[in-house]
């Protein structure tokens, strides 16, 4: 079909996003669940609490730590990823660094905020889904943030959509097939602004194409933010109504 | 040396360093100790029980650096967007490079051995990069306890060099499914004064470009490795030279915009609020971008950084190429007639 991607989307369409807050009934302070297409991520946040080790004590701010768990069944092949897996550690550092600058850590000195992310199913855009899930869980935990952090992916399509010889539009929110096929990047922005807090790309791309990819990614972040904000408001309203009864 | 395909994979390991007997530079650099301070730091680690933290920067120092940046000045007198001078020196062996950026110093060494390929990739050689930071570089690094920087660095090099297929792994194949070259880059961090990532990347790329593999002939089941004295060893097939450029975001300029500084020193790194590493080659292909967290920056600024990185890389690429050529000339200066035979540009 003309102009459609392998899953029937157009270049600027997101996959279905479903998100939920307060999903965990355990003693996590905040929790969330997000589905972006077939990428499914569960996130728990605990804290601010006493740091688990003395090394993590900072006198003037809270320490943000992150744990990422890949379910062995989450990918196409059954792979167990341990704590020392490079991919796990990279994700952990990326999430931890992103949120260290977004959480108002100076309000909680000598304490620790732990974000633990469980990846249940991978279908492209894992990092983006993890960041989105963590934002929701932190909001659920009532931890003060500067603003929402929303992440989205964009890929440089190789096919030519228009016959006029113009360069093809980048694809928004790539799935696993696309991700393994074409160069893609993950962008995370802060709130309404178009300021980028995290940017990650692992494939080779011509520098001229980069700008369009980032621009499409940022527009995706805005869409994701709208969806997340709607859910947060719905959840908040529901909670207030439940209290009122 | 003659090799036959051996029945046991365990006996397959023929380490093949073609180093001259006089040089054992890795363990015993012939140069004087790189940094007189590093000897003290080793002792410091020895005495303290817990991992020493990097000393925190004083308030006065912080204000000084940030105020200076407002006026486009840096403590060491460089421009905001200029690198320190990159000094490359080569060892006696091929594939041994010593890179210095100011007080930062990294050694890279390439070694090769013949192994059995992985069963799922029978016609590809292997290439691993090993990075280990010890207390030699900085008192906050401890052997066997990798820091965050350690992880970031090894992942970045992996993505920049391995994933961008800078090295043609298929060219390392000797006999499909039987024997391939296994290359290994060992990075030694001798002193840390900021920007370890860029330095390590330059060191690895230069070492790979400098390295020569011994010539191999295969006849039937027999694999013959020709010693350096018999046949001129061949350079690796490097498809492109990806080079990392790290931007550090710190302070504000007069308009309140965040300042992005290139090639930060340790002092500037301690003060920075965020960083971004862009890997580009001289053809303007971005191989990797990573900015995780830190201060939020406008997309416009990031694009400017990426374009600037592409410009800088052209210069660095040229510098590496010149250094390699100079080394080759110096190497062939003696009466190494066997080396001249293989060249087309010899004086006739």
């Amino acid at each position: 079909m003309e102009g459609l991607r392998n899953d029937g989307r157009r270049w600027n369409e997101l996959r279905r996003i479903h998100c939920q807050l307060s999903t965990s009934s355990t003693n996590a302070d905040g929790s969330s669940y997000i589905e972006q297409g077939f990428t499914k991520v569960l996130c728990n946040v605990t804290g601010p609490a006493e740091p688990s080790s003395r090394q993590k004590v900072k006198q003037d701010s809270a320490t943000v730590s992150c744990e990422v768990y890949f379910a062995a069944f989450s990918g196409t092949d059954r792979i167990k990823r341990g704590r020392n897996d490079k991919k796990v550690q990279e994700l952990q550092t990326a999430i931890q660094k992103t949120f260290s600058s977004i959480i108002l850590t100076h309000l909680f000195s000598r304490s620790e905020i732990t974000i633990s992310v469980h990846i249940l199913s991978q279908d492209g855009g894992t990092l983006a889904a993890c960041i989105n899930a963590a934002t929701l869980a932190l909001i659920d935990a009532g931890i003060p943030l500067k603003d929402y952090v929303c992440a989205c992916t964009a890929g440089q399509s190789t096919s030519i959509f228009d016959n006029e010889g113009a360069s093809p539009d980048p694809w928004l929110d790539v799935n696993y097939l696309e991700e393994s096929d074409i160069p893609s990047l993950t962008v995370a922005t802060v709130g309404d602004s178009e300021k980028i807090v995290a940017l990650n790309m692992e494939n080779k791309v011509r520098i001229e194409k980069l700008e369009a990819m980032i621009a499409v990614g940022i527009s995706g972040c805005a869409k994701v933010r709208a969806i997340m904000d709607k859910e947060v408001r719905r959840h908040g309203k529901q909670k207030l109504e439940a209290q009122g009864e | 040396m003659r090799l036959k395909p051996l029945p046991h994979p365990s006996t397959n390991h023929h380490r093949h360093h073609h180093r001259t007997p006089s040089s054992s530079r890795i363990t015993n650099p012939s140069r004087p100790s790189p940094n007189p301070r590093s000897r003290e730091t080793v002792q410091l680690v020895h005495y303290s029980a817990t991992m020493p933290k990097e000393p925190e920067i004083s308030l006065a120092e912080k204000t000084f650096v940030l105020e200076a940046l407002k006026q486009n000045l840096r403590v060491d007198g460089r421009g905001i967007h200029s690198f320190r001078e990159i000094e490359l020196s080569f060892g006696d062996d091929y594939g041994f490079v010593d890179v210095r950026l100011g007080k930062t110093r990294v050694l890279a060494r390439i070694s090769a051995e013949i192994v059995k390929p992985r069963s799922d990739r029978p016609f590809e050689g292997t290439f691993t990069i090993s990075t280990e930071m010890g207390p030699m570089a900085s008192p906050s690094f401890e052997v066997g306890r990798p820091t965050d920087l350690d992880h970031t660095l090894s992942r970045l090099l992996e993505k920049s060099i391995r994933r961008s297929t800078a090295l043609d792994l298929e060219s390392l194949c000797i006999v499909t499914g039987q024997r391939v070259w296994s290359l290994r880059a060992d990075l030694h961090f001798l002193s840390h004064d900021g920007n370890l990532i860029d330095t390590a990347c330059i060191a690895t790329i230069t070492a790979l470009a400098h390295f020569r593999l011994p010539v191999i002939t295969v006849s039937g089941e027999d694999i013959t490795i020709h010693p350096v004295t018999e046949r001129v060893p061949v350079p690796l097939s490097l498809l492109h030279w990806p080079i990392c450029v790290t931007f550090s975001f710190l302070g504000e300029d007069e308009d309140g915009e965040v300042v992005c500084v290139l090639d930060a020193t340790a002092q500037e790194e301690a003060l920075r609020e965020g960083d971004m590493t862009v890997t580009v080659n001289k053809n303007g292909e971005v191989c990797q971008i990573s900015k995780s967290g830190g201060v939020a920056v406008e997309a416009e600024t990031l694009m400017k950084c990426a374009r600037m990185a592409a410009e800088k890389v052209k210069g660095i690429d040229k510098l590496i190429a010149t250094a390699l050529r100079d080394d080759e000339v110096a190497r062939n200066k003696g009466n190494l007639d066997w080396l001249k035979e293989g060249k087309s540009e010899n004086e006739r």
Side-chain angles (χ1 to χ4, degrees):
Chain A
M1 275 279 273
E2 189 79 7
L4 294 183
R5 287 149 70 175
N6 61 9
D7 53 5
R9 283 183 289 157
R10 289 189 192 281
W11 67 274
N12 58 351
E13 282 177 337
L14 284 175
R15 292 176 290 176
R16 186 187 71 105
I17 295 181
H18 166 80
C19 48
Q20 259 175 280
L21 275 84
S22 296
T23 47
S24 163
S25 55
T26 59
N27 47 11
D29 293 307
S31 54
S32 67
Y33 173 70
I34 193 162
E35 279 180 19
Q36 291 188 262
F38 290 115
T39 302
K40 296 168 188 177
V41 173
L42 198 60
C43 180
N44 283 347
V45 165
T46 40
E50 192 183 342
S52 54
S53 76
R54 227 184 48 188
Q55 264 182 20
K56 289 182 179 164
V57 179
K58 277 196 224 157
Q59 291 305 320
D60 55 350
S61 65
T63 317
V64 179
S65 47
C66 177
E67 289 155 13
V68 171
Y69 303 96
F70 275 91
F73 51 80
S74 59
T76 39
D77 299 315
R78 193 180 173 88
I79 303 170
K80 272 213 162 157
R81 290 185 190 276
R83 278 172 146 252
N84 291 324
D85 189 284
K86 280 194 173 167
K87 198 170 173 188
V88 171
Q89 287 190 329
E90 195 194 7
L91 269 180
Q92 285 177 347
T93 342
I95 297 169
Q96 185 248 326
K97 280 193 179 167
T98 305
F99 284 99
S100 303
S101 55
I102 294 301
I103 296 173
L104 304 178
T105 47
H106 63 274
L107 297 175
F108 311 101
S109 48
R110 294 180 296 280
S111 47
E112 184 184 10
I113 296 164
T114 313
I115 304 168
S116 65
V117 185
H118 298 257
I119 296 154
L120 304 179
S121 165
Q122 302 177 61
D123 187 29
T126 313
L127 173 61
C130 290
I131 291 178
N132 294 337
T135 303
L136 289 176
L138 284 166
I139 291 173
D140 186 38
I143 291 169
L145 305 174
K146 279 188 193 154
D147 209 324
Y148 285 68
V149 189
C150 304
C152 194
T153 57
Q156 176 57 54
S157 66
T158 39
S159 60
I160 304 294
F161 279 174
D162 48 6
N163 301 324
E164 284 141 37
S167 108
D169 292 309
W171 289 349
L172 183 65
D173 193 17
V174 290
N175 62 27
Y176 178 72
L177 267 177
E178 292 164 347
E179 197 177 63
S180 43
D181 217 31
I182 59 168
S184 63
L185 51 76
T186 306
V187 202
T189 58
V190 188
D192 281 337
S193 74
E194 298 201 336
K195 285 193 167 180
I196 297 174
V197 66
L199 176 65
N200 206 308
M201 187 180 70
E202 306 191 343
N203 316 82
K204 231 192 292 182
V205 139
R206 293 221 45 97
I207 194 159
E208 298 85 52
K209 310 254 182 187
L210 198 64
E211 197 163 3
M213 280 167 82
I214 295 180
V216 167
I218 290 177
S219 74
C221 292
K223 289 181 194 168
V224 173
R225 183 182 180 275
I227 296 170
M228 278 164 49
D229 190 51
K230 199 174 152 199
E231 173 60 22
V232 169
R233 284 174 197 280
R234 192 200 63 78
H235 178 80
K237 202 174 164 197
Q238 191 187 33
K239 240 184 170 174
L240 282 176
E241 279 168 1
Q243 266 180 359
E245 277 169 16
Chain B
M1 204 192 311
R2 243 159 205 275
L3 283 181
K4 275 185 184 163
L6 297 164
H8 292 294
S10 57
T11 50
N12 265 343
H13 294 263
H14 285 263
R15 270 223 159 247
H16 194 87
H17 297 292
H18 47 98
R19 57 162 78 138
T20 47
S22 62
S23 67
S24 54
R25 278 178 155 263
I26 280 280
T27 48
N28 209 351
S30 50
R31 278 205 194 80
S33 174
N35 182 354
R37 260 175 54 207
S38 54
R39 212 179 273 152
E40 289 167 28
T41 51
V42 173
Q43 281 190 349
L44 211 135
V45 169
H46 187 73
Y47 289 130
S48 60
T50 52
M51 182 154 77
K53 274 186 186 167
E54 198 94 42
E56 258 180 48
I57 220 149
S58 72
L59 209 60
E61 218 175 336
K62 182 177 172 177
T63 330
F64 178 65
V65 174
L66 295 184
E67 282 300 313
L69 266 184
K70 256 188 198 155
Q71 301 162 35
N72 275 339
L73 291 171
R74 282 169 87 173
V75 177
D76 50 8
R78 272 185 290 158
I80 301 279
H81 301 309
S82 59
F83 265 79
R84 288 170 281 187
E85 202 190 329
I86 303 171
E87 293 170 55
L88 297 168
S89 49
F90 301 93
D92 293 341
D93 317 337
Y94 282 119
F96 183 91
V97 181
D98 175 354
V99 181
R100 296 184 203 211
L101 253 92
K103 282 184 193 155
T104 299
R105 187 177 177 199
V106 176
L107 291 187
R109 165 170 207 109
I110 310 289
S111 50
E113 60 182 326
I114 296 178
V115 296
K116 208 174 156 67
R118 283 170 43 176
S119 53
D120 53 335
R121 296 187 180 271
F123 40 76
E124 279 184 14
T126 58
F127 174 49
T128 46
I129 306 172
S130 115
T131 51
E132 205 172 281
M133 293 178 192
M136 177 79 139
S138 160
S140 57
F141 302 148
E142 211 172 327
V143 179
R145 208 188 291 177
T147 55
D148 267 357
L149 178 66
D150 232 338
H151 292 143
T152 325
L153 195 129
S154 68
R155 272 300 285 181
L156 273 178
L157 287 184
E158 181 105 346
K159 282 194 281 190
S160 310
I161 300 171
R162 267 169 49 102
R163 280 200 52 159
S164 72
T165 57
L167 188 64
D168 180 17
L169 289 179
E170 286 186 23
S171 72
L172 298 175
C173 181
I174 301 166
V175 182
T176 306
Q178 295 276 339
R179 292 301 179 80
V180 292
W181 282 112
S182 162
L183 285 188
R184 189 185 158 87
D186 284 290
L187 293 174
H188 296 256
F189 299 89
L190 295 189
S191 75
H192 172 29
D193 188 23
N195 209 11
L196 279 185
I197 292 172
D198 298 3
T199 321
C201 186
I202 293 172
T204 317
I205 287 298
T206 316
L208 281 173
H210 188 246
F211 187 66
R212 299 285 185 273
L213 269 181
V215 180
I216 275 193
T217 42
V218 183
S219 55
E221 294 263 278
D222 290 348
I223 300 168
T224 318
I225 305 172
H226 296 281
V228 204
T229 43
E230 207 174 276
R231 291 264 199 105
V232 183
V234 287
L236 297 169
S237 104
L238 274 180
L239 303 180
H240 63 113
W241 291 359
I243 288 162
C244 294
V245 179
T246 304
F247 294 87
S248 300
F249 303 110
L250 67 155
E252 288 172 349
D253 60 11
E254 284 153 342
D255 313 325
E257 288 269 316
V258 72
V259 180
C260 38
V261 158
L262 263 173
D263 186 25
T265 57
Q267 187 187 40
E268 286 161 339
E269 276 186 5
L271 288 174
R272 73 181 172 195
E273 296 160 67
D275 61 302
M276 174 172 79
T277 305
V278 185
T279 310
V280 206
N281 58 25
K282 67 170 178 192
N283 310 323
E285 284 170 317
V286 183
C287 306
Q288 180 273 127
I289 293 184
S290 113
K291 174 191 191 307
S292 38
V295 62
V297 181
E298 294 284 349
E300 188 70 19
T301 317
L302 293 190
M303 274 314 295
K304 244 187 243 163
C305 288
R307 281 191 212 105
M308 195 195 301
E311 278 309 307
K312 288 283 167 196
V313 162
K314 278 181 196 156
I316 298 173
D317 193 281
K318 208 178 260 173
L319 187 130
I320 296 177
T322 322
L324 284 168
R325 210 176 321 111
D326 291 350
D327 177 68
E328 194 60 32
V329 170
R331 222 164 260 272
N332 294 348
K333 220 175 195 172
N335 42 9
L336 297 168
D337 291 328
W338 53 271
L339 257 177
K340 271 190 187 164
E341 270 168 39
K343 295 240 148 259
S344 54
E345 68 260 26
N346 55 2
E347 311 148 359
R348 257 194 201 139

